[in-house]
Amino acid sequence: MPTSAPDTSPRGYRHASVLLDGAVDALVHEPGGAYLDGTFGRGGHSRAILARLAPEGRLLAIDRDPQAIREAASIDDPRFVIEQGEFARLGEIAGQHGLQGRLAGVLLDVGVSSPQLDDPERGFSFLRDGPLDMRMDPTHGESAAEFLVRAKEAEIAQVFKSFGEERYARRLARAIVTRRAERPFTRTADLAEVIKVAHPAWEKGKHPATRAFQGLRIQVNGELEQLDAALEAALEALAPGGHLVVISFHSLEDRRVKRFIRHHVRGDTHLPKGVPIRDDQLERRLEAVGKARRPGDAEVDDNPRARSAVMRVARKRY
């Protein structure tokens, strides 16, 4: 969720919500309806949604990051409420607010936010030294450092290959296991340096630890499983005619979103051809709204992290 205005976060990191206007345009089609922002971040999308809502509209936001929850306290609006939790639980959380099956729109801005990347204490960045953590919620789960202490070489290599799409995953995993025998990894700069030295083929304009760090982050936070669960939950939480808007930032995420939408647009393709059948029997529960959209040149110039963003939109049929 690398995220057009400065935020008011405690540390003052600049946070620009990617595809802000486009996402809100696609999401808010009933100003008096109820909406869910599944990834509040630092509130760029939520504030823009609230600006579009009528007095009777509602916005429920979710985020697992305690810093995001603290940031949300700055929004003084009776139409707004936020809950701390994983967006995979959005159906459960919507139900607690009486909104299950009643939402006019769900927005998912997937991945890690700029404030998380830019704060060295969160341990996401190979460019800034900090504790090797990477958890979106630092109070729960296994940190990246803890994973690297207990994981076998083959498991580390699989994480780098599957989640980081790192070509030299086995070589990097071997270097990590060899070094940790001397002392465990506890700092991001230390890990990044070991990967840098071990990596045999640097990509132009890309730090050699980029893919490995992505893989570790996805592993630590269970991001792909979270996304799969959130998409299914969003479909059930939406009212008929409700809009699903998803912004993703790398191919692993976007492929899942594309596949999910395509599956529910096509429905059950295993039925015999020529048999008369209704759309609901085919389970064609979604229709795609337009084509995948990417940020324009001006937005990328203003926020280089937006360059990989892809937004897909679908509407629930029934």
Side-chain angles (χ1 to χ4, degrees):
M1 187 175 53
T3 50
S4 284
D7 77 348
T8 56
S9 60
R11 294 179 181 270
Y13 296 110
R14 187 178 184 279
H15 177 72
S17 297
V18 171
L19 292 164
L20 179 64
D21 293 334
V24 177
D25 287 345
L27 183 74
V28 181
H29 59 103
E30 295 179 11
Y35 294 85
L36 186 145
D37 181 354
T39 43
F40 178 81
R42 295 304 179 265
H45 286 119
S46 281
R47 291 182 175 89
I49 293 166
L50 288 168
R52 303 282 187 93
L53 295 186
E56 66 273 21
R58 295 176 65 184
L59 176 61
L60 170 62
I62 301 170
D63 207 292
R64 65 203 292 192
D65 188 338
Q67 290 185 4
I69 302 302
R70 289 194 290 272
E71 172 63 23
S74 66
I75 299 181
D76 183 14
D77 192 317
R79 301 170 299 172
F80 174 79
V81 64
I82 189 167
E83 297 282 358
Q84 184 172 0
E86 301 165 342
F87 67 5
R89 296 178 50 231
L90 70 84
E92 173 193 341
I93 294 171
Q96 292 169 358
H97 290 267
L99 296 175
Q100 178 69 341
R102 297 176 56 194
L103 291 169
V106 172
L107 171 64
L108 302 176
D109 182 7
V110 186
V112 64
S113 71
S114 289
Q116 289 169 330
L117 285 171
D118 293 339
D119 183 354
E121 294 303 308
R122 301 302 300 272
F124 287 101
S125 178
F126 43 78
L127 298 176
R128 298 170 177 85
D129 185 38
L132 186 57
D133 195 314
M134 296 193 186
R135 290 173 295 175
M136 292 182 182
D137 179 356
T139 66
H140 290 87
E142 180 181 57
S143 71
E146 291 167 337
F147 171 76
L148 290 180
V149 164
R150 62 95 180 155
K152 295 181 179 179
E153 180 179 322
E155 186 178 1
I156 297 171
Q158 187 61 37
V159 165
F160 289 170
K161 180 180 179 181
S162 297
F163 298 155
E165 300 180 293
E166 172 56 66
R167 180 180 178 184
Y168 299 99
R170 294 176 61 183
R171 181 169 181 158
L172 301 186
R174 190 176 308 117
I176 287 170
V177 170
T178 299
R179 214 309 299 276
R180 81 178 180 190
E182 303 172 11
R183 65 182 187 279
F185 291 94
T186 61
R187 307 289 296 183
T188 56
D190 184 22
L191 177 61
E193 183 62 24
V194 169
I195 293 173
K196 180 180 176 181
V197 172
H199 205 294
W202 297 10
E203 298 176 61
K204 185 177 180 180
K206 181 177 289 189
H207 192 287
T210 299
R211 295 182 183 275
F213 267 61
Q214 174 184 295
L216 265 180
R217 192 200 81 219
I218 291 174
Q219 164 68 24
V220 166
N221 294 290
E223 293 179 33
L224 299 182
E225 296 89 346
Q226 285 280 318
L227 176 57
D228 289 342
L231 291 170
E232 294 289 350
L235 181 58
E236 299 305 322
L238 285 168
H243 290 193
L244 173 64
V245 180
V246 187
I247 303 171
S248 56
F249 288 86
H250 58 73
S251 59
L252 294 176
E253 296 168 342
D254 184 54
R255 282 199 296 266
R256 277 172 152 75
V257 177
K258 182 179 180 179
R259 184 169 61 241
F260 175 83
I261 293 174
R262 183 174 58 198
H263 171 73
H264 288 287
V265 167
R266 291 179 177 177
D268 188 348
T269 58
H270 300 293
L271 295 174
K273 292 183 178 180
V275 176
I277 193 166
R278 300 190 308 271
D279 274 354
D280 59 339
Q281 293 174 303
L282 284 170
E283 297 189 353
R284 291 175 177 165
R285 303 191 65 191
L286 290 174
E287 57 182 336
V289 179
K291 297 181 179 180
R293 178 175 170 180
R294 296 180 179 273
D297 293 341
E299 182 172 2
V300 173
D301 288 343
D302 182 60
N303 179 15
R305 286 175 178 161
R307 64 185 179 275
S308 60
V310 181
M311 183 176 76
R312 296 186 185 273
V313 183
R315 182 184 296 113
K316 184 175 177 179
R317 290 175 176 264
Y318 63 90

